Amino acid sequence: MIWQLVVGAVLMLALSIVFLVWPRTVRAGEQQTPAQLFAERMDLLASARDAGELAEQDFDSAANELKQQFLEQEARAMELKASHSSWRWYGGLSAALVLIVAGIYSWNGHYRELADWQLAQQKLPEYGERALLERGEPLSEQELARFGLALRTKLARDGDDAAAWFLLGRIWLSQGFMLDAIDAFEKALQMTPNRPALLISYSQALLVVGGDDKLAKAGRALARALTAEPDNLDALSLLAYVAYEKGDMTEAAAAWTILLDRLPTSDPRYAVVLEKLQELGHEVSARQERVVLLTLDVDQTLRQQYPDASVFVFVRQPDGPALPVAAQRIPVPAGELQLMLTEEMAMQPGWTLASIDDVEVVARFSPSGTVDDRQGSFEVVSAPQLFNDGKVQVSLRLQAD
């Protein structure tokens, strides 16, 4: 960008020199020099004197006048040369001034902002994939700012878009611009009023700003989010904080109690919620994380016949939903193997080992290594088991028919 400015300045300076100097040079080439003109006129005077057309006294007077004119012209020529030297000096000064201005502009000008804007337009799809789909490296602070610039441009060019306003609000929320974030979320809510992720982000911004009016809005937004997704732990957590900030300790304790039962003990929020409940005078103790300990014995024949096979181990509720509360995939082992399934292996947030009291363990053998294999696959299922001090111990054997 700066080189374009320098080239433009140099071209303008060159054109100015051409238009100023070239006409004078042409005129000078078409005219006689003062010395030639003086000699020609002296010859004419001498010819007139020799022909008797001009008296000697008049000749001397005319010759003196002509010499005086010649001397004056020579003096003006000397001044003109001096002025040309001065012009070159001023030209050099002008060029230096152009370079100084270009340097100042490169340091303090807005060309960088323009370059960032152009780059943001080009990389908008890439930024969207990295931010939403978590593909590649997380966005840096600079890339996040460019992403926001690209989204503002998109909204100005294409009109309102709920997803764009939501993303812009999330960017402003992460940058600490809470009032701008609230405004962006409200624009998105006008188009998609019941989107849980949007309602939760909106409530987060309102909680940070604070105030009775903002807390009331946050409570209503979270209630709508929980109506759409009753098991949303983020919404339940924020609802507890809203009640706490409003001074409604009964409602806060109720929400935190429900949340404590649903959170895995490994979740960072678990210790915080436990501390809050104890702070409110509720006698609660840390829940022991539930685990299923499985001893799996695989027939050597299966390993030999199907070296690329896999075993899918999962825990589910007997006579309950088909969705497992914990699952793990392993290459087909040889011999006996010890496995541990934990609350962190849940297939869906809020549906973990802590959500049920009785379990059954399933080991499914898949020759092709895929979970939906129908040919040659088989499974063994344990009897229903109850947790004993947070543990269930099961032994299963996979063997060829």
Side-chain angles (χ1 to χ4, degrees):
M1 196 59 94
I2 184 62
W3 68 268
Q4 294 176 348
L5 177 65
V6 173
V7 170
V10 171
L11 286 175
M12 290 297 296
L13 188 60
L15 288 173
S16 300
I17 293 172
V18 169
F19 283 118
L20 288 173
V21 175
W22 180 69
R24 296 184 182 182
T25 304
V26 171
R27 287 197 300 270
E30 293 174 351
Q31 297 175 356
Q32 293 176 307
T33 65
Q36 291 172 338
L37 188 59
F38 173 73
E40 182 180 347
R41 288 179 180 178
M42 286 297 294
D43 289 342
L44 289 174
L45 287 175
S47 298
R49 182 195 61 185
D50 295 342
E53 296 175 359
L54 188 64
E56 187 69 30
Q57 183 178 2
D58 293 335
F59 171 79
D60 293 338
S61 176
N64 290 333
E65 181 68 25
L66 189 60
K67 290 177 182 178
Q68 184 65 32
Q69 292 177 1
F70 174 71
L71 292 174
E72 290 177 357
Q73 288 177 349
E74 285 295 309
R76 285 197 296 270
M78 293 296 292
E79 291 178 359
L80 184 59
K81 288 181 179 180
S83 66
H84 283 173
S85 298
S86 177
W87 180 87
R88 284 193 294 270
W89 186 85
Y90 283 117
L93 182 62
S94 299
L97 183 62
V98 168
L99 292 175
I100 291 172
V101 170
I104 294 173
Y105 181 78
S106 68
W107 183 260
N108 293 321
H110 296 285
Y111 77 94
R112 285 193 180 91
E113 286 80 356
L114 178 60
D116 281 346
W117 177 79
Q118 292 172 337
L119 182 61
Q121 301 309 301
Q122 296 171 3
K123 289 185 170 289
L124 178 59
E126 176 191 331
Y127 290 157
E129 288 185 358
R130 288 167 61 187
L132 295 176
L133 304 179
E134 298 182 354
R135 293 178 180 173
E137 294 292 326
L139 294 177
S140 65
E141 290 295 329
Q142 186 179 32
E143 290 173 329
L144 203 60
R146 287 176 185 159
F147 190 22
L149 179 62
L151 288 171
R152 293 201 302 273
T153 303
K154 172 180 171 57
L155 288 166
R157 183 184 63 236
D158 302 335
D160 284 339
D161 179 89
W165 278 119
F166 172 54
L167 287 173
L168 190 57
R170 291 292 303 173
I171 291 172
W172 281 335
L173 180 63
S174 67
Q175 293 175 332
F177 305 135
M178 296 304 162
L179 295 180
D180 291 330
I182 289 172
D183 184 59
F185 291 142
E186 287 178 346
K187 286 183 171 65
L189 284 169
Q190 291 174 2
M191 291 169 273
T192 53
N194 296 313
R195 185 178 176 185
L198 173 57
L199 291 165
I200 290 171
S201 296
Y202 178 52
S203 302
Q204 287 175 327
L206 291 170
L207 266 171
V208 173
V209 174
D212 293 340
D213 180 55
K214 297 291 189 296
L215 290 175
K217 286 184 178 179
R220 290 193 293 270
L222 291 169
R224 286 158 55 190
L226 287 169
T227 299
E229 292 183 1
D231 294 327
N232 193 304
L233 299 183
D234 291 329
L236 188 59
S237 177
L238 285 174
L239 187 63
Y241 274 103
V242 169
Y244 183 82
E245 291 295 325
K246 290 167 60 177
D248 190 344
M249 301 306 170
T250 302
E251 183 178 345
W256 274 325
T257 300
I258 297 173
L259 185 62
L260 193 69
D261 290 337
R262 296 182 180 179
L263 283 173
T265 56
S266 58
D267 193 303
R269 292 173 294 182
Y270 184 87
V272 176
V273 173
L274 182 64
E275 182 180 352
K276 286 293 183 183
L277 286 171
Q278 292 172 344
E279 181 183 307
L280 294 178
H282 289 256
E283 295 183 1
V284 290
S285 56
R287 187 182 76 246
Q288 184 178 8
E289 184 174 0
R290 290 180 173 179
V291 296
V292 173
L293 302 176
L294 171 63
T295 300
L296 181 64
D297 186 18
V298 180
D299 192 344
Q300 293 283 358
T301 305
L302 291 174
R303 171 71 175 180
Q304 294 169 359
Q305 290 180 351
Y306 306 101
D308 297 325
S310 293
V311 176
F312 294 88
V313 178
F314 51 93
V315 182
R316 65 191 180 194
Q317 185 180 34
D319 301 323
L323 182 68
V325 291
Q328 186 177 11
R329 174 186 178 274
I330 57 172
V332 61
E336 190 173 277
L337 182 68
Q338 302 292 329
L339 296 174
M340 182 171 68
L341 292 95
T342 67
E343 295 180 18
E344 295 180 356
M345 297 178 180
M347 302 287 290
Q348 177 178 299
W351 183 240
T352 69
L353 292 174
S355 305
I356 57 179
D357 295 324
D358 56 338
V359 298
E360 62 181 11
V361 184
V362 181
R364 177 179 296 168
F365 179 80
S366 172
S368 66
T370 60
V371 70
D372 57 351
D373 185 11
R374 300 300 180 187
Q375 294 183 352
S377 64
F378 64 93
E379 63 182 33
V380 291
V381 183
S382 74
Q385 304 284 328
L386 290 173
F387 281 100
N388 181 18
D389 294 330
K391 295 180 181 179
V392 165
Q393 292 183 320
V394 176
S395 295
L396 295 175
R397 176 173 172 77
L398 290 170
Q399 60 183 12
D401 293 335

